[in-house]
Amino acid sequence: MSSHGPATPMTARKSGPLKGTADVPGDKSISHRSLILGALTVGETKISGLLEGQDVLDTAKAMRAFGAEVIEHGGGDWTVHGVGVGGFSEPEDVIDCGNSGTGVRLIMGTMATTPITATFTGDASLRKRPMGRITDPLSLFGCQAVGREGGRLPMTLVGAADPVPVTYTLPMASAQVKSAVLLAGLNAPGQTVVIEKEPTRDHTERMLAGFGAEITVEDTDEGRVVTLTGRPELKPQTIAVPRDPSSAAFPVCAALIVEGSDVLVPNIGLNPTRAGLYTTLKEMGADLTFENERTEGGEPVADLRARFSPDMKGIEVPPERAPSMIDEYPILSVVASFASGKTVMKGVKELRVKESDRIDAMARGLEACGVTIEEDEDTLIVHGMGPGGVPGGATAEARLDHRIAMSFLCCGMASEKPIGVDDSGPIATSFPIFEPLMGTLGAQLVRSNR
Ligand code: S3P
């Protein structure tokens, strides 16, 4: 979808204790990859627990457009009958990835080494985001791309007829770029190598190995070196998608700042390349416990219990932790507003090219709520006001960004006066049940301006 219809303002009021169990939806990153890799096998891949958020639904639609059979069975159960590596057919129409940077970038990578032409677009947020970071490495395989100024969507890709394998060092910490290169490498003969200085989420590597590709990961002085042997025959899989630690962050963080709360969030994926927020919260003094730690489908999983934590202190979050919590800085800046002392987040410039400029969106919204903020290109500093200390009484702009909308709504559950967001619609991209789920826990959310 290129837009989600009229804006739906929403307001959160100071809420009583949040109590109960929060069954958050499936992991967004793993859901996209399950559909894409399923589309590259011959045979039936079965997926349970798929996130049925708009971002993933747009990827499902795209996989159909490239020739795969993607069937929804209800309750998060899906099957994919794929076309095999290099088997994508040319789509008849433009591929609309809606709000999803992950969707468009991974799909561009996947088609880049197949001799077909496809045109991609997205909503107003996605059309502003840089695609040169994807098309630069894809051109090394022999793929051509023509887009708008600054490498923006809409953009047409002509896949390489005779792809060559590539060795590529990531210029920025990005799992999307790494994944696009690996997915392109699937249909190139020989070995494709990606080198990353800082480890980013590794779901693509884990899943490629699970589907039977030959892939190795080595930690070296240069960084992590991922080597993929091209043209494998991928074998269909049965995938149970773990629940999303990035979505879990909202009920967990809301419980930490709302007085008297005690919330259990079961079955959360805790892949170390994703779990940086939880390390940070522990360092701040959050009352967070991990129960039933186990491994499911190759991913570490646990049940998380979060209780109201009135003694949290601001800390300095080390920049090297950024890739493992990149989507969690907006909600961390809310928690930091209710801690005592200042929280310094360095090495976060990638936040400027997410669904919105997340440093600017959080800084302006929190300032409107009475919080003192400092920022520069690569840094966000929040001066905490202590438990219950945020005045609130403002409406924040969601800027077509689900995580900005959810962060301000969680903030409003603990601030003195209500906090509104001008549009809660984007929440459906990743957490379509946010409103009823938070309501069941005791959050006071209403669909209106303050
Ligand atoms: C994602 C990677 C991250 C993250 C995004 C999901 C993925 O983006 O912000 O929400 O699934 O690979 P970058 O690769 O731009 O860091």
Side-chain angles (χ1 to χ4, degrees), residues 33-55:
R33 287 159 172 81
S34 304
L35 292 170
I36 294 170
L37 286 180
L40 297 177
T41 66
V42 176
E44 182 179 87
T45 287
K46 294 183 179 165
I47 309 168
S48 59
L50 190 87
L51 165 64
E52 291 172 345
Q54 191 58 46
D55 278 8

Side-chain angles (χ1 to χ4, degrees), residues 29 33 102 105 133 173-176 201 326-327 350 354:
S29 293
R33 287 159 172 81
T102 307
R105 290 174 173 145
R133 56 176 56 197
S174 168
Q176 291 175 357
R201 65 191 68 192
I326 194 67
D327 291 334
E350 274 293 302
K354 296 294 178 187

Side-chain angles (χ1 to χ4, degrees), residues 12-18 258-259 261 409-410 412-415 438 442-445:
R13 290 171 202 287
K14 200 175 186 73
S15 304
L18 302 177
V258 172
E259 199 174 336
S261 298
L409 291 170
C410 290
M413 293 170 204
S415 56
M438 295 306 294
Q444 292 203 38
L445 291 172

Side-chain angles (χ1 to χ4, degrees), residues 379-398:
T379 311
L380 178 64
I381 300 173
V382 175
H383 291 261
M385 307 189 82
V390 174
T395 298
E397 288 177 16

Side-chain angles (χ1 to χ4, degrees), residues 229-253:
T229 303
R231 306 245 161 107
E233 194 187 315
L234 298 181
K235 306 263 181 322
Q237 297 298 305
T238 297
I239 300 169
V241 179
R243 291 182 179 166
D244 199 323
S246 300
S247 296
F250 296 101
V252 164
C253 290

Side-chain angles (χ1 to χ4, degrees), residues 362-371 373 391-396 408 419:
M362 289 312 297
R364 300 296 80 78
L366 284 172
E367 277 169 354
C369 293
V371 182
I373 301 291
T395 298
F408 281 108
I419 296 177

Side-chain angles (χ1 to χ4, degrees), residues 92-180:
E92 282 182 17
D93 204 348
V94 172
I95 302 294
D96 186 347
C97 289
N99 190 250
S100 181
T102 307
V104 77
R105 290 174 173 145
L106 268 54
I107 297 167
M108 281 180 171
T110 312
M111 68 139 287
T113 46
T114 305
I116 54 172
T117 297
T119 300
F120 296 87
T121 193
D123 71 1
S125 153
L126 192 57
R127 292 196 305 270
K128 281 191 207 147
R129 297 179 67 185
M131 295 299 147
R133 56 176 56 197
I134 297 295
T135 53
D136 286 352
L138 295 185
S139 69
L140 305 174
F141 289 95
C143 170
Q144 290 170 285
V146 183
R148 287 194 306 134
E149 201 196 342
R152 304 308 205 253
L153 300 177
M155 179 174 271
T156 296
L157 262 62
V158 182
D162 291 306
V164 289
V166 158
T167 293
Y168 192 68
T169 302
L170 295 184
M172 74 288 290
S174 168
Q176 291 175 357
V177 179
K178 172 176 65 176
S179 301

